[in-house]
Amino acid sequence: MLTILNEESQKTPEEIESQYPNCKYILVNFGSIQDPKGNLYCISSSDDSYRKICEVADELSSKGIACMLSGSYNNGGAFGVQYEVET
C-alpha cells in the first residue's frame, strides 16, 4: 500500500526506517546524498505498491523536484547472493 504523507518536519533515513520498518520511502528537500536529512513524502509498505512508488518518484523528478527513493521491504529481494552457504 502506498501512503502519501508529505511531512513538514525533516528526518534522517534512520528515523524514517525506525518509524516505518520494512518500507520503501521517498525523501524530498534533502541537503545532499552524504547527509540525506529531508522531508518524508510517501511510504510503500509492501512490494505490491513498488511500481506506484517508482511512478511517484518519476513524477516528482519530471516536475524538477529532487527526490530519493530508499528503504527496503526486507523480504530478501536483493540483487546478488541471497543465501549464506556453509562449505
Side-chain angles (χ1 to χ4, degrees):
M1 181 168 128
L2 182 75
T3 305
I4 304 292
L5 301 167
N6 205 12
E7 293 186 354
E8 297 288 326
S9 63
Q10 294 219 330
K11 294 182 180 176
T12 64
E14 293 80 17
E15 291 170 325
I16 294 168
E17 291 167 12
S18 174
Q19 187 175 3
Y20 300 101
N22 305 323
C23 290
K24 293 260 188 200
Y25 59 90
I26 293 178
L27 194 64
V28 295
N29 301 324
F30 55 93
S32 69
I33 297 297
Q34 289 79 22
D35 182 27
K37 187 174 185 178
N39 302 95
L40 179 61
Y41 183 75
C42 67
I43 61 166
S44 165
S45 58
S46 65
D47 56 3
D48 64 338
S49 60
Y50 178 71
R51 180 181 293 273
K52 183 65 179 164
I53 199 168
C54 290
E55 290 171 359
V56 170
D58 289 344
E59 184 179 321
L60 290 169
S61 293
S62 71
K63 292 179 179 178
I65 300 170
C67 64
M68 180 174 69
L69 175 58
S70 191
S72 176
Y73 299 121
N74 291 320
N75 59 1
F79 294 109
V81 178
Q82 297 183 24
Y83 302 100
E84 186 175 313
V85 178
E86 290 186 31
T87 56

